[in-house]
């Protein structure tokens, strides 16, 4: 009963949207109708005289202008390319089990099956209509037809964290939405609203000529007026569709869906921490982690270990993970990881010398250690420019301690660091190629994923260098989730993409031609940059003189490990207490807390450190 009410409400609102469209055409045709009446009256001899002749000419001219304008608006609305979510397409041949599960779900719900499946680096799932002529792929299956069912877009973290039953329960209300979407009135109303939305955004589209941009502005103004008129009806139509789909899906795995919704929130929290704390530092260094989806399993397992509210979630890992529904989860993970870097950081479409993939086992060495030494070198260059005293042994931490404890110029150093960082990003001869992060140049064009080169990663189950043993899934879980990130569902390590790139051979990426940049965090302030750079210098001194090692924490990102058997040892203890002493140095000019900390770990600030 609730389903029928939701469907009826959706259809009623869809008809209201179409009535607005009909009224707009009626208004556009009204001058032409008046002109026809005046012309017919003149031909019959009933509306004769100079005044009627003038009225006929004026109304006919106005009708012609209005008709031409209406035709132009209608053509733009019909042909404007709606926004397309950047996704990684999953062919049926690469995921027959996933397609089979979705089709079985659609059959149980008695709704049309989605025409295709795509993945996006986000924690959400929805249906996306890609029947617009600009989005059709000739010869690429049933979703190339104008009347094809919507495409099912699934958040890639769901496939790695959720179990098969949980994924089916979460997708049930989404797949059920294909039923209302097939109704002609709802489909027509959605096409009209998407066309209006695309027409409003047309003047701001890059690459549009000056003449076309000038002509697109009045069209966008008319489309914006119509969009405001249909906005409430369109929103209520979508609510009705969602209500009908949810009610229909209650008959399928309803009890499991309540439990699975908890996993949705947990996956979102873990994914956000993984991107902002772990992936972002790598992206800034010109590296992109190639197994982000596998990494979220370790991040969430670590969260369940730390947070008593998440107890019991790790026990789910003994069940079959949803990524087992993919034939080659490693390739898919790599493609979505590269797409995530492009969406959230503006990285280039292809790997290269300045934009290379990194697996989790190499993360501490290639990202954490390199990040610390690069920032320490930048700090010493800035101090050189500001005339800070240099010791005879070269760059040392003692120099940094003495400068900030005697010179009250923290703001000046922070501003110089900001300027230095901007100068490096604009430098034409920097290591990163055109289009690399920070270069500000280079197109972002759609590309396929990349063929991995032969050569295995470290054995499955090996924790990343510098990570604590609890960073990977607990023993006794399913192979695909218990293995260290970078391993596929069989527990074997997939091959790795070479830094120089390779020929496209993986799942294609769609919707990335006008890829928007959605930064995860606002730009760092000068004080934050200064604290990061001083902290990096401290960590370099600890690594070079106290046998510490860079490490990876799945929830907090780069960490310093102290107390192992030597440099590079992964069994050290994490030291997260260096932040307050660093702040005391740069904010209060008090070096004593930091000196005490260095003494406690056995670091020698007077020794020179290795920079890059």
């Amino acid at each position: 009963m609730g389903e029928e009410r939701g469907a009826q409400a959706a259809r009623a609102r869809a008809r209201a949207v179409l009535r607005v469209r009909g009224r707009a055409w009626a208004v556009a045709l009204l001058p032409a109708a008046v002109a026809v009446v005046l012309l017919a009256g003149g031909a019959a001899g009933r509306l004769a005289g100079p005044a009627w002749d003038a009225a006929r000419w004026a109304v006919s001219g106005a009708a012609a202008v209005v008709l031409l304008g209406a035709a132009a608006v209608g053509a733009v609305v019909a042909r404007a390319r709606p926004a397309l979510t950047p996704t990684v397409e999953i062919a049926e041949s690469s995921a027959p089990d996933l397609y089979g599960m979705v089709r079985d779900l659609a059959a149980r719900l008695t709704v049309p099956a989605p025409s295709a499946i795509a993945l996006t680096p986000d924690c959400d799932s929805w249906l996306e209509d890609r029947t617009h002529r600009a989005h059709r792929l000739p010869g690429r299956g049933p979703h190339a037809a104008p009347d094809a069912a919507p495409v099912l877009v699934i958040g890639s973290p769901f496939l790695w964290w959720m179990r098969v039953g949980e994924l089916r329960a979460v997708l049930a209300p989404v797949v059920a939405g294909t039923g209302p979407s097939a109704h002609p009135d709802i489909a027509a109303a959605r096409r009209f609203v998407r066309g209006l939305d695309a027409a409003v955004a047309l003047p701001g589209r890059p690459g549009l000529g000056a003449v076309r941009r000038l002509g697109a502005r009045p069209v966008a103004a008319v489309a914006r007026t119509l969009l405001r008129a249909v906005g409430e009806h369109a929103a209520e139509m979508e609510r009705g569709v969602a209500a009908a789909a949810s009610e229909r899906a209650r008959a399928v795995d309803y009890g499991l869906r309540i439990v699975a919704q908890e996993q949705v929130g947990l996956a979102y929290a873990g994914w956000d921490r993984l991107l902002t704390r772990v992936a972002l530092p790598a992206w800034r260094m010109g590296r992109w982690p190639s197994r982000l989806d596998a990494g979220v399993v370790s991040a969430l397992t670590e969260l369940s270990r730390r947070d008593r509210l998440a107890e019991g979630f790790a026990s789910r890992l003994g069940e079959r993970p949803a990524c087992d529904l993919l034939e080659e989860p490693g390739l898919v993970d790599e493609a979505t990881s590269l797409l995530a870097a492009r969406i959230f950081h503006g990285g280039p479409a292809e790997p290269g010398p300045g934009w290379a993939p990194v697996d989790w086992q190499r993360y501490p060495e290639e990202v954490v250690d390199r990040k610390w030494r690069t920032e320490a070198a930048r700090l010493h260059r800035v101090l050189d420019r500001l005339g800070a005293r240099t010791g005879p042994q070269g760059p040392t931490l003692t120099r940094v301690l003495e400068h900030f404890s005697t010179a009250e110029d923290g703001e000046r150093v922070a501003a110089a660091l900001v300027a230095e960082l901007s100068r490096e990003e604009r430098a034409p001869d920097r290591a990163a190629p055109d289009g690399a992060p920070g270069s500000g140049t280079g197109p972002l064009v759609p590309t396929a994923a990349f063929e991995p080169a032969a050569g295995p990663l470290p054995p499955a189950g090996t924790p990343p260098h510098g990570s604590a043993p609890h960073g990977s899934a607990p023993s006794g879980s399913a192979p695909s989730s218990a293995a260290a990130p970078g391993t596929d569902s069989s527990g074997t390590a997939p091959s790795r993409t070479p830094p120089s790139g390779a020929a496209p051979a993986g799942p294609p990426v769609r919707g990335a031609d006008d890829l928007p940049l959605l930064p995860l965090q606002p730009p760092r302030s000068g004080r934050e940059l200064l604290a990061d750079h001083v902290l990096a210098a401290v960590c370099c001194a600890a690594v070079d003189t106290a046998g510490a090692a860079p490490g990876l924490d799945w929830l907090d990102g780069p960490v310093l490990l102290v107390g192992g058997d030597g440099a590079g040892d992964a069994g050290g203890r994490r030291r997260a207490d260096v932040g307050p002493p660093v702040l005391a140095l740069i904010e209060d000019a008090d070096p004593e807390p930091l000196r005490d900390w260095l003494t406690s770990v056995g670091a020698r600030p007077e020794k020179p450190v290795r920079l890059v």
Side-chain angles (χ1 to χ4, degrees), residues 30 389 393 528 545:
L30 183 60
R389 187 165 58 89
Q393 292 182 322
E528 291 172 334
T545 67

Side-chain angles (χ1 to χ4, degrees), residues 35 116 129 151 181 202 207-208 383 459 482 509:
D129 188 350
V151 172
S181 300
L202 187 60
L208 205 64
L383 293 179
V509 176

Side-chain angles (χ1 to χ4, degrees), residues 274-346:
L274 189 72
L275 291 182
T276 55
R277 304 294 182 89
V278 179
L280 188 58
W283 294 339
R284 286 172 175 164
M285 297 304 299
R287 297 288 186 269
W288 52 278
S290 59
R291 295 294 185 268
L292 281 179
D293 292 308
V296 79
V297 178
S298 290
L300 291 173
T301 304
E302 171 66 7
L303 179 63
S304 68
R305 190 194 69 86
R306 295 185 189 179
D307 190 351
R308 288 183 299 175
L309 297 176
E311 285 181 357
F313 287 144
S315 62
R316 304 165 40 261
L317 299 181
E319 305 171 15
R320 186 191 182 197
C323 65
D324 272 359
L325 300 173
L326 303 173
E327 291 292 304
E328 296 183 273
L331 280 178
V332 175
D333 195 356
E334 187 172 351
T336 54
S337 299
L338 181 58
L339 181 59
R342 297 180 62 194
I343 294 175
F344 299 118
H345 189 64

Side-chain angles (χ1 to χ4, degrees), residues 502-579:
V509 176
R510 293 201 64 201
D513 49 346
D514 298 322
L515 197 62
L517 177 60
L518 304 175
L520 296 171
Q521 293 178 342
R524 289 176 290 179
S525 66
R527 299 294 288 183
E528 291 172 334
L529 281 173
L530 177 58
D532 288 344
H533 283 66
V534 174
L535 178 62
V538 172
C539 292
C540 288
V543 171
D544 289 345
T545 67
L552 166 62
D553 185 280
W554 294 111
L555 298 177
D556 296 327
V559 293
L560 181 69
L561 301 178
V562 179
D565 295 334
D569 179 63
R573 182 170 56 90
R574 174 186 173 186
R575 293 297 298 261
D577 55 347
V578 66

Side-chain angles (χ1 to χ4, degrees), residues 120 128 366 588:
T120 185
E128 185 163 284
E366 295 188 12
D588 304 328

